Amino acid sequence: MALLSPVSSSCLPRLCSQLAAHDAVVDTKSRVCLSSASSHLQRSLIHKCYLDKRESHGFKVSASASVTADVSTAEVAVKSPIVKGDTWSIHKFGGTCVGTAQRIQNVANIVIEDSSERKLVVVSAMSKVTDMMYDLIEKAQSRDDSYEAALDAVFEKHKLTAVNLLDGDELASFLSVLTRDVHNLKAMLRAIYIAGHGTESFSAFVAGHGELWSAQILSAVLRKGGIDCTWMDTRDVLIVTPAGSNQVDPDYEESEQRLDNWLSQNPSKVVVATGFIASTPQNIPTTLKRDGSDFSAAIMGALFRARQVTIWTDVDGVYSADPRKVSEAVVLNTLSYQEAWEMSYFGANVLHPRTIIPVMQYDIPIVIRNIFNLSAPGTKICRAPIIEAEVKKDSVAYVKGFATIDNLALVNVEGTGMAGVPGTASAIFAAVKDVGANVIMISQASSEHSVCFAVPEKEVNAVAKALEARFRQALSAGRLSQVAIIPNCSILAAVGQKMASTPGVSATLFNALAKANINIRAIAQGCSEYNITVVVKREDCVRALRAVHSRFYLSKTSIAVGIIGPGLIGATLLNQLRDQAAVLKEKSKTDLRVMGIIGSKKMLLSDTGIDLSNWKELQNEKGEKADLEKFVHHVHGNHFIPNTVLVDCTSSTDVADHYHDWLHTGIHIITPNKKANSGPLDKYLKLRARQRQSFTHYFYEATVGAGLPIMHTLRDLLQTGDKIIKIEGIFSGTLSYIFNSFVDTRAFSEVVMEAKAAGYTEPDPRDDLAGTDVARKVIILARECGLNLELSDIPVQSLVPDPLKETASVDDFMQQLPSYDSDIATKRQAAEDAGEVLRYVGVVDVKNQKGVVELQRYKKQHPFAQLSGSDNIIAFTTERYNKQPLIVRGPGAGAEVTAGGVFSDLLRLASNLGAPSC
């Protein structure tokens, strides 16, 4: 580039002419009140400040703004050899990284410790400064006098920072530049204040000062640390052209020529460059728009053919999902360029999509690092991802991350007249373009009956009006049936380069959403298969994100567990969960996480999972007043695990009455509580219908036979087509113990007293002897077999003598019971005389559609006569098992086995939600 003479006054009209031509293009919508005189004043001030700034750093500029050496020293500059290539490494530090004097010093230390032979450091303005600069312009345009005080605050922020970092000539030099810049800015803002308007180029010039000041401060700090360093005003090098939609395109050829010229005159091995700012081909100051500093670093990386571009920020790298929404998101070691592109497009906090373009051409990797955690290796973005050792051959390895976009609306244009009509889609999107709306996603059925697309919700009304106007005739004629708007939507995108041509990834994604009870409104997937995009309700978005992330990145199945009733059974279950949780997580990838425990008076809640090794102590220390509604809301909605199960270990009818609503909201239920399944028939039928409609699970194995697989066996028989004829059994562990011990000459009251002392009976033994508990089990089995019976339809033979049914206290009952021993002793003797034994049984006679609970006699060879202790026994007589009934026998009472039955249901739920078999 030719060297030109110093600036003369004759150059000013020519530059003003160039600015006028530029503003005529980019600022055609200037306010009427902006006079030509004030416009000229703004342009002249830009030009003067730009020249002052360059002259203050030993450079002069001609009217064409070519960068030159000071010709008073030499007419021809002596050029140094230009070095590019992998000896250069690029570092970019954002506003947070240079937000304070201490942080700028930390940046300097990182640059000094970098062993690269040559380093280019791209810096943003100090934290919040760019916003402050734009605010100055807004205040001036609004004729708000406070713009001067706001500018003084900016001045003081940088002055204080410099005083804390610099001294001597470096401090004096910077403060001189800062003072002159602020003086000039006040004059420029005054021009805006007078005109009531500022052009785009004027705003860009003002806003870019933050980068100029931070670059100068950092370069001075590096020089103070003994580093041979200079700073670069990238407006002298980087040339861009407007590309519409608030974007610019780099002119690489022109920029490379200017960079070569700059490097020939500035041979330092460490260069601090301004991010965000650039120039137009007419040498008008401009910016790379918001998030432009990352773009600057990538462009510089391409121009220098650098070895690597490191983006320093305040996070450890790129996460598998937004950690604010998914607390167990993980930092990704590597991403391909395409994966990073897709994730950033869909809102992930990675990079601006355009940042990746410059480095892809030269295969320059980008590394995202955390300036506040130097031990974290960060995320490497490159063309050929490193094959990670932990990657396994399953669908998890093929999905790198998930991202979401909120506040969207779906627009659905449909009608039979669209099918096979060329130009319909073109007309739709032309109308959308005319209102300036941004289409985020498009989905069209192969039938061409409808076109569905997503736009920002704030733009949807304008889009709908434009489409209705454009297709008014087609709508009237019925060729189009409707232009429908579906508001309150969000997009969820799964991204991974290895998803391409990998069977099962989509199925896993959709299965995870289905298991979390998430309805999908629209789906899109390109043929490149780098992402799968779904549209869901806004209120479901976070839960959907957690569901898919949990499925791909955590355990195969993660379930939030809420325990209701930490009594004997509930406490035993918690202990079993404590002992098995780690094993389940390792072997079957099942994460059962207890998020809440509620008793009758207190409840304990946790956002991440309760430590089950000391849950009782925690409940005493940190427990709050029991509130079932708050408890359910917490367990179901306030954490990162998408699947929720409530385990009701009470015998409460009030709790059981909530099952219907809980199933409706997508909560799974597991319970040993018999009240729901043996209560009023209409409630039971509504409960089962709701369970089927809501695609939730309702398991109650422990309601009959504690931990014995009675319900499971019955379901297997029915589902495989067998027909049940009769179910007969000893369903009460208490009554089993009593009649197994009621032998020889022992008195019935003595055996009952012994069972009570051993803890086999309820506190009031009449609750067991009345037979109601057995009747509830009979009704549960009968309804499972399809019999619509009420509890009142089951005849029950009570073992409580009629005169003692109304006895006030348990003690009175126990004292008076021996008076009635002779009645039942007579029955025992009659049975013994016939070679039989007494057993208290429940019977479901499916063939005759009835049930009964009574004391019956069985031959001593019968399986029911062979029991010992408190065992239960159930016989299934079916068409397949007719001559020889199918027998299930084992312990049917006790906290351990009952809790074990509930635990078994939890594992069954996990299996249904996707956990593999062990």
Side-chain angles (χ1 to χ4, degrees):
M1 186 176 294
L3 298 180
L4 302 175
S5 60
V7 177
S8 67
S9 60
S10 63
C11 297
L12 290 174
R14 184 146 44 106
L15 180 56
C16 289
S17 169
Q18 292 173 329
L19 282 165
H22 176 267
D23 287 339
V25 174
V26 302
D27 198 31
T28 57
K29 298 182 179 179
S30 298
R31 299 184 186 179
V32 174
C33 66
L34 180 59
S35 67
S36 59
S38 61
S39 179
H40 180 78
L41 175 61
Q42 290 184 32
R43 297 172 190 138
S44 299
L45 284 169
I46 292 176
H47 181 64
K48 179 182 183 300
C49 293
Y50 202 12
L51 297 184
D52 285 348
K53 187 172 296 296
R54 294 190 176 193
E55 288 172 352
S56 69
H57 302 294
F59 293 93
K60 291 188 176 182
V61 188
S62 73
S64 62
S66 299
V67 179
T68 71
D70 191 330
V71 295
S72 64
T73 304
E75 192 65 22
V76 178
V78 177
K79 296 187 177 182
S80 301
I82 299 171
V83 179
K84 295 182 181 178
D86 59 11
T87 60
W88 285 93
S89 65
I90 311 294
H91 294 268
K92 181 268 174 177
F93 296 93
T96 305
C97 300
V98 293
T100 64
Q102 182 58 54
R103 291 180 180 180
I104 292 174
Q105 184 62 61
N106 293 342
V107 168
N109 294 339
I110 290 172
V111 175
I112 292 170
E113 292 171 8
D114 180 10
S115 60
S116 301
E117 184 178 345
R118 291 177 170 83
K119 290 164 275 192
L120 177 80
V121 182
V122 178
V123 291
S124 298
M126 293 180 69
S127 180
K128 306 299 182 184
V129 168
T130 300
D131 290 335
M132 294 169 74
M133 300 304 285
Y134 278 115
D135 187 56
L136 290 174
I137 299 167
E138 288 295 323
K139 288 180 182 295
Q141 289 184 143
S142 303
R143 295 190 171 95
D144 182 346
D145 291 326
S146 65
Y147 76 86
E148 291 189 358
L151 181 56
D152 289 339
V154 174
F155 172 81
E156 289 298 326
K157 180 181 179 74
H158 289 85
K159 176 183 175 181
L160 181 61
T161 301
V163 168
N164 287 334
L165 290 170
L166 308 175
D167 52 33
D169 292 343
E170 289 284 8
L171 177 59
S173 176
F174 175 75
L175 291 181
S176 175
V177 171
L178 178 64
T179 302
R180 183 166 53 251
D181 287 349
V182 170
H183 175 76
N184 288 337
L185 284 173
K186 282 187 177 180
M188 300 167 78
L189 291 167
R190 180 64 181 171
I192 294 179
Y193 182 93
I194 293 170
H197 177 67
T199 64
E200 182 181 341
S201 55
F202 197 96
S203 298
F205 182 76
V206 172
H209 276 72
E211 280 72 18
L212 296 170
W213 295 328
S214 61
Q216 292 174 72
I217 292 174
L218 178 58
S219 63
V221 172
L222 288 169
R223 287 193 294 271
K224 182 181 177 182
I227 302 297
D228 178 20
C229 174
T230 188
W231 78 280
M232 174 194 291
D233 182 347
T234 48
R235 295 175 301 183
D236 298 336
V237 172
L238 184 53
I239 304 301
V240 298
T241 57
S245 300
N246 202 32
Q247 294 184 351
V248 294
D249 286 333
D251 183 338
Y252 288 101
E253 184 176 352
E254 177 65 20
S255 298
E256 190 149 12
Q257 290 178 9
R258 295 198 181 198
L259 175 61
D260 290 348
N261 186 58
W262 192 95
L263 288 174
S264 69
Q265 299 172 50
N266 297 275
S268 296
K269 291 187 177 181
V270 179
V271 177
V272 179
T274 56
F276 182 56
I277 57 177
S279 293
T280 69
Q282 295 79 29
N283 297 305
I284 304 300
T286 188
T287 70
L288 301 182
K289 314 308 175 188
R290 285 308 181 115
D291 299 317
S293 293
D294 288 350
F295 197 17
S296 298
I299 295 169
M300 286 298 178
L303 292 175
F304 276 86
R305 312 295 192 270
R307 175 179 57 83
Q308 179 175 290
V309 175
T310 303
I311 307 291
W312 292 90
T313 180
D314 56 359
V315 293
D316 286 346
V318 181
Y319 283 83
S320 54
D322 187 341
R324 295 167 299 182
K325 298 177 180 178
V326 181
S327 60
E328 294 198 355
V330 299
V331 176
L332 302 173
N333 292 333
T334 60
L335 280 174
S336 70
Y337 292 127
Q338 290 82 3
E339 288 168 339
W341 179 301
E342 295 283 354
M343 289 188 69
S344 61
Y345 175 80
F346 285 103
N349 186 21
V350 187
L351 296 169
H352 192 281
R354 289 172 63 83
T355 301
I356 301 164
I357 299 173
V359 298
M360 287 181 65
Q361 181 179 356
Y362 301 103
D363 286 344
I364 300 169
I366 298 177
V367 179
I368 312 295
R369 294 284 305 277
N370 189 349
I371 193 171
F372 304 115
N373 183 14
L374 299 181
S375 62
T379 300
K380 186 175 186 179
I381 300 171
C382 52
R383 185 175 299 279
I386 298 169
I387 303 301
E388 300 167 17
E390 67 270 20
V391 168
K392 300 175 182 178
K393 292 184 177 180
D394 59 23
S395 59
V396 177
Y398 304 115
V399 177
K400 278 295 183 72
F402 304 91
T404 58
I405 304 177
D406 293 322
N407 301 317
L408 300 177
L410 278 179
V411 181
N412 186 45
V413 182
E414 64 178 56
T416 55
M418 293 174 57
V421 179
T424 302
S426 174
I428 289 171
F429 294 111
V432 175
K433 178 179 179 294
D434 288 343
V435 297
N438 181 28
V439 176
I440 308 296
M441 187 206 81
I442 303 170
S443 179
Q444 181 177 13
S446 58
S447 65
E448 301 183 32
H449 177 71
S450 67
V451 175
C452 172
F453 56 94
V455 297
E457 200 157 33
K458 62 184 180 181
E459 299 173 356
V460 71
N461 289 333
V463 169
K465 290 178 181 178
L467 290 172
E468 287 167 357
R470 172 64 179 81
F471 294 102
R472 183 175 290 110
Q473 183 177 352
L475 288 165
S476 300
R479 295 195 303 276
L480 291 186
S481 57
Q482 65 173 341
V483 176
I485 304 301
I486 305 173
N488 303 318
C489 293
S490 293
I491 277 179
L492 168 65
V495 174
Q497 188 168 351
K498 292 184 179 180
M499 286 163 54
S501 304
T502 302
V505 176
S506 297
T508 302
L509 177 75
F510 296 137
N511 182 260
L513 292 173
K515 296 299 184 184
N517 204 33
I518 304 293
N519 183 43
I520 298 173
R521 290 181 162 179
I523 303 168
Q525 180 178 12
C527 60
S528 65
E529 298 184 57
Y530 289 143
N531 84 73
I532 302 172
T533 305
V534 298
V535 179
V536 298
K537 293 180 182 178
R538 183 189 302 160
E539 57 266 31
D540 289 339
C541 184
V542 173
R543 193 156 53 91
L545 178 62
R546 291 168 180 168
V548 296
H549 188 273
S550 171
R551 178 61 182 84
F552 283 93
Y553 267 96
L554 301 180
S555 300
K556 287 281 187 182
T557 305
S558 298
I559 305 175
V561 182
I563 303 293
I564 304 173
L568 185 59
I569 295 173
T572 305
L573 174 63
L574 286 166
N575 291 337
Q576 292 177 354
L577 285 169
R578 176 199 63 202
D579 296 339
Q580 283 296 112
V583 176
L584 289 171
K585 198 167 184 179
E586 179 182 355
K587 290 190 175 181
S588 63
K589 305 300 181 186
T590 300
D591 185 4
L592 301 176
R593 199 168 302 197
V594 178
M595 309 301 289
I597 302 170
I598 185 170
S600 58
K601 296 180 180 179
K602 275 189 172 185
M603 66 181 180
L604 177 64
L605 306 177
S606 171
D607 290 329
T608 57
I610 295 171
D611 182 358
L612 297 184
S613 64
N614 63 339
W615 67 268
K616 288 184 179 179
E617 292 82 355
L618 289 172
Q619 189 172 38
N620 290 331
E621 295 171 7
K622 300 181 180 180
E624 54 188 279
K625 184 179 179 181
D627 182 331
L628 187 59
E629 183 178 353
K630 180 179 178 181
F631 173 83
V632 173
H633 176 74
H634 173 85
V635 175
H636 185 47
N638 288 352
H639 54 85
F640 57 91
I641 300 177
N643 304 301
T644 304
V645 61
L646 294 177
V647 182
D648 174 19
C649 296
T650 73
S651 58
S652 167
T653 301
D654 291 339
V655 175
D657 285 344
H658 286 86
Y659 291 179
H660 182 277
D661 293 337
W662 292 343
L663 291 169
H664 182 61
T665 56
I667 298 174
H668 308 290
I669 296 172
I670 293 173
T671 184
N673 185 348
K674 295 179 276 290
K675 297 297 174 61
N677 283 12
S678 62
L681 181 62
D682 61 333
K683 283 189 176 182
Y684 168 79
L685 294 175
K686 288 178 181 178
L687 177 65
R688 297 311 303 269
R690 172 53 62 192
Q691 180 254 320
R692 288 188 291 269
Q693 291 166 5
S694 58
F695 298 97
T696 48
H697 295 285
Y698 172 43
F699 296 147
Y700 41 88
E701 183 67 65
T703 57
V704 180
L708 295 178
I710 295 171
M711 302 305 300
H712 184 72
T713 300
L714 177 57
R715 286 194 201 96
D716 282 350
L717 291 170
L718 292 171
Q719 290 172 3
T720 57
D722 201 354
K723 296 189 184 304
I724 308 298
I725 297 172
K726 183 170 74 170
I727 302 172
E728 183 178 13
I730 298 172
F731 295 104
S732 169
T734 301
L735 294 173
S736 177
Y737 176 85
I738 288 174
F739 282 98
N740 288 334
S741 303
F742 184 45
V743 294
D744 300 329
T745 60
R746 297 193 69 184
F748 186 74
S749 60
E750 176 190 346
V751 175
V752 172
M753 191 172 297
E754 179 182 273
K756 183 177 184 299
Y760 285 117
T761 72
E762 295 292 335
D764 186 343
R766 286 174 292 184
D767 292 340
D768 297 295
L769 297 174
T772 304
D773 184 67
V774 176
R776 289 189 180 277
K777 295 176 181 180
V778 167
I779 204 71
I780 290 171
L781 291 169
R783 288 174 177 177
E784 200 76 14
C785 293
L787 303 184
N788 291 332
L789 299 177
E790 292 280 8
L791 187 60
S792 58
D793 295 331
I794 307 297
V796 180
Q797 180 181 352
S798 175
L799 299 179
V800 180
D802 290 339
L804 300 185
K805 289 180 181 179
E806 304 301 326
T807 303
S809 70
V810 176
D811 290 340
D812 288 346
F813 168 74
M814 295 302 298
Q815 288 175 5
Q816 297 180 42
L817 184 60
S819 304
Y820 300 91
D821 281 343
S822 60
D823 292 343
I824 197 164
T826 301
K827 294 179 181 178
R828 179 185 62 187
Q829 188 61 51
E832 287 182 354
D833 292 344
E836 297 173 337
V837 296
L838 295 177
R839 293 293 183 261
Y840 195 78
V841 298
V843 180
V844 179
D845 186 347
V846 179
K847 185 175 181 181
N848 296 306
Q849 299 190 6
K850 64 181 183 178
V852 65
V853 175
E854 61 186 0
L855 189 64
Q856 288 192 9
R857 289 162 43 172
Y858 292 90
K859 293 292 184 183
K860 291 184 177 180
Q861 296 78 23
H862 193 279
F864 286 14
Q866 309 299 315
L867 289 185
S868 62
S870 61
D871 281 2
N872 282 185
I873 187 168
I874 296 89
F876 295 92
T877 303
T878 73
E879 287 187 351
R880 292 177 189 161
Y881 298 94
N882 198 340
K883 295 180 180 180
Q884 186 73 20
L886 176 63
I887 301 290
V888 178
R889 173 180 172 175
E896 286 290 338
V897 292
T898 304
V902 175
F903 200 165
S904 177
D905 273 347
L906 269 172
L907 297 181
R908 182 175 165 216
L909 173 64
S911 178
N912 278 272
L913 294 176
S917 301
C918 295

